[in-house]
């Protein structure tokens, strides 16, 4: 027990633990919608895209960090959302180009103007160090916003995720709701970027949701389980990261992956079968092309 | 152009005038003049790619015409039943959750109220699938899935119901049941428009048909449009039409020739 309490004596660790747990929960919650929409790839692209803005703002206008990176993230999200609606022009290719170019820009900026190596590594793989109070407040605000969004727009979000075409006919403004979801997603990625890392955020969007899907057939339960699995991965991963002396994002993702393997072993093929179809959505294609 | 037309006849729900429509400059339908009246029960028939779904989308209002005007009667609720394969049946929801989607949520918390539960139970009961409310959607048969979508549509209490190929991929008795169910709903005052490529099993049983092949080729009762000349213009192939017990039966000549050739 002392082993677990000892690191809590350090302020940086308690901050890190709080942020990691909340980040895991936030990504777990929103990840349910991302995974059920077959948008895992978009989450991955978006985090890379945001990295460009993150680098630019941090290096040249640090005082506008939150605002600048936030605007960049929202712009990326809306651009990707617009492109992905036109599936016939090769959304995958377009998203791939936009996001990797933005990522490359971030790498170039960091290499040329960055002070030293660690900041760059931290951005890529997550770090427990240097978490500011502003970041904690930012994360708390984004989390509250996300929970409010999911509660208030619960049915409309569920409807557009399951059946966007009929949702539109039934009076749901699908376009606006999807744009709002992308904005919330980009804010969530931005708020969790420093602790999880650019390259690993997508994993934390996917793993808890897939684990939850394997454990339940109910949508509301899936939201709860995914949030809890995300939070637990963040909490345990942060401890593991402290003791192993490796970047926090890597350990959080590895803990998530371990949970996935345990659940896979417990549920067997039955659980895995439930995740079939998570990656292909005929409806997304038809709705956009018809 | 889309208007809420008060100038429409009192029983006209949707009207298309001189409409041309398609996707990305590719014209699928042109010269469409079509009106949907209250209590209509109409089948849209035609080959694949002829514009059946496009016509449906114009009526739904989810597709804007390239030319011409579509008008929807003010306040008339439209509900839609899509083809079964348009959704992921592995999606983690129960039948009740799925049906409830079409009920707008006006509260801060997504809790299902007792009155909503009752409304769902009533509509499931009416459609003969009362026992499956708490089952996962994947555990239903094709016919039950179709009814679930119908239940979701009916929960909106629509004046007009549109269905895209409601009987594709279901067996004969399910098709028969669906036809009866729709007939009852129509008798209760609901206007119904559906697409089908099943001439004998579906179209011949409907009171009114529209034949589509990039334009409206013919419109009227089965006796009026299930004729060799209209069918050839619609499907681009010669078909024989027989009369059996007062019903039209369409025989595809090419299929008959193949069957004869196989012997």
């Amino acid at each position: 027990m002392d082993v677990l309490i000892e690191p809590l004596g350090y302020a940086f660790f308690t901050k890190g633990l709080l942020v990691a747990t909340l980040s895991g929960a936030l990504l777990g919650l929103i990840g349910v919608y991302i995974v059920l929409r077959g948008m895992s790839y978009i989450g991955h692209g978006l985090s890379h895209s945001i990295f460009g803005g993150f680098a630019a703002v941090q290096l040249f206008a640090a005082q506008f960090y939150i605002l600048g990176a936030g605007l960049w993230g929202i712009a990326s999200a809306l651009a990707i959302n617009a492109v992905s609606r036109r599936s016939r022009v090769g959304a995958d290719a377009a998203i791939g180009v936009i996001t990797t170019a933005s990522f490359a820009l971030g790498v170039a900026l960091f290499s040329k103007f960055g002070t030293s190596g660690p900041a760059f590594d931290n951005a890529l793989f997550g770090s427990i160090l240097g978490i500011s109070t502003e970041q904690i407040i930012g994360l708390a605000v984004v989390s509250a916003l996300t929970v409010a969004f999911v509660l208030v727009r619960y049915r409309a979000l569920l409807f557009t995720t399951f059946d966007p075409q009929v949702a539109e006919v039934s009076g749901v403004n699908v376009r606006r709701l999807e744009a709002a979801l992308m904005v919330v997603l980009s804010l969530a990625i931005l708020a969790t970027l420093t602790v999880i890392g650019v390259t690993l955020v997508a994993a934390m969007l996917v793993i808890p949701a897939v684990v939850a899907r394997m454990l339940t057939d109910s949508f509301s339960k899936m939201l709860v389980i995914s949030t809890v699995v995300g939070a637990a991965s963040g909490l345990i991963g942060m401890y593991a990261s402290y003791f192993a002396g490796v970047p926090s994002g890597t350990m959080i993702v590895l803990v998530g992956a371990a949970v996935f393997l345990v659940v896979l072993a417990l549920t067997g093929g039955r659980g895995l079968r439930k995740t079939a179809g998570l990656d292909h959505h005929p409806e997304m294609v038809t709705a956009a092309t018809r | 152009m889309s208007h809420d037309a008060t100038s429409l006849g009192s029983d006209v729900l949707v009207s298309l005038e001189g409409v041309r429509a398609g996707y990305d400059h590719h014209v699928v339908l042109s010269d469409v003049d079509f009106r949907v009246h209250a209590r209509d029960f109409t089948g849209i028939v035609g080959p694949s790619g002829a514009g059946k779904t496009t016509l449906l989308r114009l009526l739904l209002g989810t597709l804007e015409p390239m030319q011409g005007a579509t008008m929807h009667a003010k306040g008339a609720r439209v509900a839609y039943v899509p083809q079964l394969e348009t959704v992921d049946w592995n999606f983690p929801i129960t039948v009740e959750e799925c049906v409830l989607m079409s009920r707008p949520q006006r509260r801060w918390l997504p809790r299902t109220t007792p009155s909503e539960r009752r409304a769902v139970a009533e509509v499931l009961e009416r459609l003969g699938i009362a026992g499956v409310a708490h089952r996962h959607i994947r555990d239903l048969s094709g016919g039950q899935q179709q009814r679930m979508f119908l239940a979701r549509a009916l929960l909106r209490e629509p004046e007009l119901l549109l269905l895209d190929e409601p009987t594709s991929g279901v067996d004969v008795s399910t098709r028969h049941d669906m036809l009866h169910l729709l007939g009852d709903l129509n008798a209760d005052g609901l206007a119904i428009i559906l697409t089908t490529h099943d001439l004998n099993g579906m179209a011949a049983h409907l009171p009114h048909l529209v034949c589509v092949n990039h334009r409206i080729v013919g419109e009227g009762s089965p006796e009026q449009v299930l004729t060799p000349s209209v069918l050839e213009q619609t499907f681009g192939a010669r078909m024989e039409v027989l009369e059996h017990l007062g019903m039209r039966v369409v025989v595809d000549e090419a299929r008959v020739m193949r069957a004869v050739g196989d012997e």
Side-chain angles (χ1 to χ4, degrees):
Chain A
M1 224 31 221
D2 283 351
V3 181
L4 297 181
I5 292 166
E6 179 252 310
L8 293 176
Y10 303 103
F12 81 91
F13 184 79
T14 42
K15 273 187 190 171
L17 202 62
L18 179 69
V19 170
T21 309
L22 197 52
S23 296
L26 174 60
L27 294 174
L29 175 63
I30 197 162
V32 170
Y33 293 96
I34 304 308
V35 162
L36 287 177
R37 284 162 173 264
M39 276 170 44
S40 317
Y41 177 70
I42 289 177
H44 190 75
L46 197 53
S47 62
H48 283 70
S49 178
I50 287 173
F51 179 69
F54 176 78
V57 177
Q58 201 174 51
L59 293 171
F60 302 117
Q63 66 272 35
F64 302 120
Y65 167 71
I66 299 283
L67 187 67
L71 287 177
W72 188 300
I74 288 170
S76 309
L78 294 178
I80 289 174
N81 191 43
V83 170
S84 65
R85 284 197 140 264
R86 308 173 188 208
S87 59
R88 271 192 297 188
V89 297
D92 283 5
I95 293 168
V97 171
I98 295 172
T99 59
T100 47
S102 182
F103 182 62
L105 176 69
V107 174
L109 288 175
F110 255 115
S111 309
K112 183 75 180 166
F113 304 105
T115 44
S116 58
F120 180 61
D121 279 359
N122 291 348
L124 289 188
F125 308 117
S127 168
I128 186 175
L129 297 168
I131 292 169
S132 64
T133 309
E134 286 79 11
Q135 265 173 290
I136 298 177
I137 294 170
L139 178 59
V141 168
V142 171
S143 301
L145 188 77
T146 305
V147 170
F149 179 56
V150 166
L151 285 181
V152 173
R153 305 296 287 149
Y154 182 84
R155 255 180 220 173
L157 271 171
L158 177 58
F159 207 169
T160 51
T161 303
F162 176 63
D163 196 346
Q165 218 180 329
V166 179
E168 196 180 345
V169 175
S170 307
V172 177
N173 191 332
V174 173
R175 243 162 227 267
R176 203 163 65 193
L177 199 63
E178 281 180 346
L181 181 66
M182 289 302 282
V183 168
V184 168
L185 172 65
S186 67
L187 291 177
I189 289 175
L190 193 65
T192 57
L193 205 59
T194 45
V195 75
I196 312 259
V198 173
T199 53
L200 300 168
V201 161
M204 285 317 288
L205 279 172
V206 175
I207 295 173
V210 170
V211 168
R213 181 68 193 92
M214 287 161 81
L215 289 171
T216 182
D217 265 342
S218 151
F219 183 77
S220 50
K221 281 185 192 144
M222 186 176 167
L223 285 176
V224 174
I225 295 174
S226 185
T227 307
V228 170
V229 168
S233 303
L235 182 84
I236 300 166
M238 191 48 108
Y239 265 107
S241 150
Y242 175 83
F243 290 118
V246 296
S248 50
T250 54
M251 271 302 163
I252 293 171
V253 170
L254 285 175
V255 169
V259 173
F260 169 79
L261 289 176
V262 169
V263 171
L264 180 64
L266 291 176
T267 58
R270 195 169 45 84
L272 206 56
R273 260 197 305 283
K274 290 182 184 172
T275 64
L278 285 186
D279 233 16
H280 84 107
H281 263 240
E283 181 59 19
M284 290 195 73
V285 180
T286 49
T289 53
R290 276 188 187 177
Chain B
M1 272 193 297
S2 191
H3 307 279
D4 286 323
T6 41
S7 57
L8 292 174
S10 60
D11 71 332
V12 175
L13 295 172
V14 189
S15 148
L16 308 181
E17 276 170 34
V19 163
R20 178 194 294 169
Y23 313 95
D24 299 339
H25 307 292
H26 172 66
V27 177
V28 179
L29 279 176
S30 43
D31 298 325
V32 174
D33 290 301
F34 185 58
R35 285 187 162 204
V36 181
H37 301 86
R39 294 177 173 270
D40 272 0
F41 191 5
T42 302
I44 302 172
V45 298
S48 301
K52 297 195 294 283
T53 304
T54 305
L55 181 53
L56 215 53
R57 285 173 55 92
L58 284 166
L59 296 175
L60 278 168
T62 56
L63 182 69
E64 287 289 311
M66 296 164 164
Q67 201 185 316
T70 63
M71 283 169 269
H72 289 83
K74 223 181 176 75
R77 269 187 305 274
V78 181
Y80 179 51
V81 175
Q83 291 192 43
L84 289 184
E85 57 269 26
T86 56
V87 302
D88 169 18
W89 289 97
N90 238 343
F91 198 92
I93 41 167
T94 62
V95 172
E96 184 182 78
E97 281 178 306
C98 178
V99 172
L100 267 175
M101 281 179 193
S102 62
R103 265 290 158 93
Q105 167 202 344
R106 294 214 174 80
R107 294 174 311 278
W108 282 84
L109 289 174
R111 202 174 58 85
T112 309
T113 64
S115 73
E116 284 174 334
R117 275 229 161 82
R118 264 198 309 280
V120 172
E122 269 168 31
V123 72
L124 291 181
E125 175 81 49
R126 184 175 182 192
L127 299 184
I129 50 170
V132 301
H134 299 289
R135 297 253 287 276
H136 184 265
I137 54 170
R138 186 188 47 230
D139 298 336
L140 305 186
S141 69
Q144 288 174 324
Q145 291 176 338
Q146 194 65 257
R147 279 156 193 261
M148 179 187 76
F149 273 173
L150 190 56
R152 184 178 67 178
L154 291 179
L155 207 66
R156 274 174 59 71
E157 296 171 352
E159 275 85 45
L160 171 61
L161 178 66
L162 298 162
L163 306 94
D164 196 7
E165 297 282 354
T167 54
S168 74
V170 300
D171 58 47
V172 178
S173 78
T174 308
R175 186 183 67 205
H176 195 77
D177 291 347
M178 180 57 82
L179 205 53
H180 268 271
L181 194 55
L182 294 177
D184 289 346
L185 290 169
N186 178 246
D188 289 347
L190 180 64
I192 297 175
I193 311 260
L194 56 87
T195 62
T196 182
H197 57 248
D198 183 354
L199 291 175
N200 295 321
M202 200 71 193
H205 299 269
L206 302 177
H208 190 80
L209 296 178
V210 180
C211 295
V212 175
N213 190 5
H214 301 296
R215 62 188 180 85
I216 291 182
V217 176
E219 191 181 347
S221 66
E223 290 72 30
Q224 288 168 315
V225 299
L226 293 185
T227 64
S229 116
V230 172
L231 289 171
E232 185 169 3
Q233 287 180 68
T234 307
F235 291 92
R238 288 288 305 164
M239 292 181 185
E240 221 35 73
V241 179
L242 310 174
E243 188 102 19
H244 177 66
L245 301 173
M247 292 276 306
R248 292 273 160 139
V249 181
V250 178
V251 185
D252 183 345
E253 258 183 17
R255 199 181 295 158
V256 173
M257 294 305 282
R258 270 199 306 278
V260 172
D262 285 347
E263 280 174 10

